[in-house]
Amino acid sequence: MMIHIQQNTSLKKLNTFGIDVNAQAFVSIANEKELITVLENNKLPLFILSGGSNMLLTEDVNALVIHINNKGISTKEINDQEILVTAKAGENWHDFVQHCIQNNWGGLENLSLIPGCVGSSPIQNIGAYGVELKDCFISCQAIDTKTFEKTTFNLDSCKFGYRDSIFKNEAKNQYIITEVTFKLSTKNHNFKTSYGAIEAELNKQNITVPTVKDISKAVISIRQSKLPDPKVIGNSGSFFKNPIIERSFYEDILKEFPEMPHYPISETSVKVPAGWLIDKAGLKGFSKGNAAVHNKQALVLVNKTGNASGKEILNLARFIQNSILEKYGIHLEMEVNIF
Ligand code: EPU
């Protein structure tokens, strides 16, 4: 088996922010056997790269960067209404979702057009428009980077939360996810269209009984109207998480900002949209050097000129955190992983 390890390679094309840093060593793997061979022979620290769509690189990576590029989709019928679909980690997420939609398999349509790959989707339990990955997730397979053993994680063992899982906490950096299995519907789909923007988009098109494809199209059109295409302008989607705060604290700040939207989380806590906080602080479209706050969605930071360094974007992010803390007393947590 010929596995080519490159030295001193630019990662600019492999992260959606388009940050130009170098990897000390770089290898792209096409299957699990290659991955294990690379792991067995490696002496450098490891850095796992999937779609590069949820990371901000602020300096050169002094490690072996392993680009997960295994492909393939397989299925197993469960009954006449449900199917198990397994995708290899290197499959592009949106292409995979479109494959499901072409086959009229329901469940992932609200997650259309999310950048990234299948393998990283469980790490932050990707979510959009009222659906999270965990709603269709059955299991994933992962390889332990130390023992090279294969492990299966099911729904419970992944400990999914809002943009969170075991892979961001106690199992951080320990595993490389190689494939993910979902349970999807083949008929009697259970659509989630209650998210305001989806309803409005379907109404606009006079669709009363939507198909899997209709919902995907609606989601794509909403996302395209607000979220910048990383191929055109570098970005990593939502840069911050929507903060969850105490309800009593929310009621206090409501006195000063009566229009602040919120979503109930529990009896005692609510989630507030970070995009709204940043927007109302007057920072939508704000720029600092080559980095900027997107002018249509304030939760997204962009590489405005294409030449931003990771540090410039990080400085802008810290400036936003400080401004929001000062104005509302709310701490914004970064959603994007900083390296
Ligand atoms: N808002 C503003 N100004 C802005 C942006 C938002 O006032 O510049 C207000 C909106 O009007 C709305 C509220 O904030 O009342 C929420 O905005 P939106 O529905 O666009 O969603 P979001 O909270 O900004 C979250 C996810 C997105 C996901 C959308 C749709 C997080 C951190 N972000 O964004 O996920 O696509 O909901 O479900 O939870 C991502 O994680 O990268 C991502 C794009």
Side-chain angles (χ1 to χ4, degrees):
M1 194 184 338
M2 263 300 288
I3 302 174
H4 181 54
I5 298 189
Q6 300 170 49
Q7 307 299 317
N8 222 12
T9 308
S10 170
L11 297 176
K12 187 171 168 78
K13 291 207 169 78
L14 294 167
N15 70 97
T16 60
F17 255 124
I19 305 293
D20 196 6
V21 294
N22 279 345
Q24 182 179 349
F26 175 88
V27 65
S28 187
I29 64 95
N31 56 53
E32 282 149 46
K33 213 167 152 209
E34 282 187 6
L35 174 59
I36 290 175
T37 308
V38 167
L39 289 174
E40 281 171 347
N41 292 293
N42 174 53
K43 294 190 177 60
L44 293 174
L46 282 182
F47 185 102
I48 309 305
L49 180 66
S50 179
S53 60
N54 199 43
M55 54 165 56
L56 178 64
L57 298 165
T58 63
E59 54 190 17
D60 285 341
V61 181
N62 293 317
L64 170 66
V65 173
I66 303 184
H67 181 224
I68 308 299
N69 203 23
N70 56 340
K71 308 272 186 200
I73 299 173
S74 60
T75 58
K76 193 172 156 205
E77 253 169 55
I78 307 176
N79 52 45
D80 70 338
Q81 306 205 24
E82 291 164 311
I83 189 168
L84 287 178
V85 184
T86 299
K88 293 288 182 192
E91 287 286 342
N92 172 276
W93 176 262
H94 180 64
D95 292 348
F96 167 61
V97 172
Q98 288 310 300
H99 176 84
C100 297
I101 283 153
Q102 293 310 326
N103 284 286
N104 195 37
W105 300 332
L108 299 176
E109 53 285 348
N110 294 41
L111 306 181
S112 297
L113 212 63
I114 294 183
C117 289
V118 167
S120 41
S121 63
I123 298 178
Q124 64 153 346
N125 180 26
I126 56 171
Y129 309 105
V131 173
E132 285 184 330
L133 175 109
K134 70 169 173 53
D135 302 333
C136 298
F137 179 93
I138 291 293
S139 63
C140 65
Q141 274 198 6
I143 289 176
D144 187 311
T145 55
K146 296 254 153 46
T147 63
F148 318 138
E149 269 165 28
K150 220 182 236 185
T151 314
T152 301
F153 288 85
N154 63 20
L155 185 63
D156 282 344
S157 54
C158 284
K159 300 189 185 170
F160 288 124
Y162 166 55
R163 296 294 190 275
D164 203 25
S165 76
I166 190 169
F167 304 108
K168 280 179 107 175
N169 297 292
E170 58 265 42
K172 195 171 177 175
N173 297 333
Q174 199 187 333
Y175 296 97
I176 299 174
I177 296 172
T178 52
E179 63 177 51
V180 186
T181 300
F182 301 92
K183 184 159 88 176
L184 304 177
S185 53
T186 52
K187 55 169 97 138
N188 298 332
H189 307 296
N190 179 17
F191 294 137
K192 301 228 171 71
T193 55
S194 56
Y195 197 95
I198 295 193
E199 248 171 29
E201 188 65 34
L202 293 172
N203 284 341
K204 204 163 91 188
Q205 296 176 27
N206 288 322
I207 295 169
T208 46
V209 188
T211 61
V212 183
K213 203 179 242 169
D214 291 331
I215 296 181
S216 171
K217 273 187 169 165
V219 168
I220 290 173
S221 131
I222 301 163
R223 289 188 76 94
Q224 284 176 336
S225 72
K226 294 193 199 176
L227 296 167
D229 179 353
K231 288 196 193 98
V232 180
I233 183 158
N235 76 89
S236 236
S238 300
F239 198 91
F240 303 99
K241 285 191 190 183
N242 285 329
I244 295 169
I245 59 175
E246 295 282 312
R247 191 177 281 271
S248 53
F249 178 49
Y250 169 73
E251 274 153 17
D252 274 351
I253 29 184
L254 210 55
K255 290 176 196 142
E256 205 184 329
F257 304 98
E259 269 125 50
M260 186 184 289
H262 76 290
Y263 319 101
I265 292 291
S266 70
E267 292 265 294
T268 53
S269 60
V270 300
K271 186 147 99 177
V272 294
W276 188 93
L277 300 174
I278 300 168
D279 189 350
K280 295 300 174 284
L283 292 172
K284 196 182 210 163
F286 175 79
S287 72
K288 236 176 167 308
N290 296 300
V293 179
H294 187 51
N295 53 13
K296 288 193 195 137
Q297 160 58 290
L299 195 47
V300 178
L301 303 189
V302 296
N303 180 351
K304 192 176 151 196
T305 60
N307 295 318
S309 68
K311 290 202 170 79
E312 265 180 302
I313 300 203
L314 186 59
N315 281 340
L316 174 63
R318 290 198 175 123
F319 174 80
I320 292 169
Q321 280 179 319
N322 289 337
S323 312
I324 297 307
L325 189 62
E326 224 167 79
K327 189 171 169 80
Y328 311 95
I330 296 177
H331 169 69
L332 289 187
E333 194 188 325
M334 296 186 198
E335 196 218 88
V336 167
N337 299 306
I338 313 292
F339 296 98

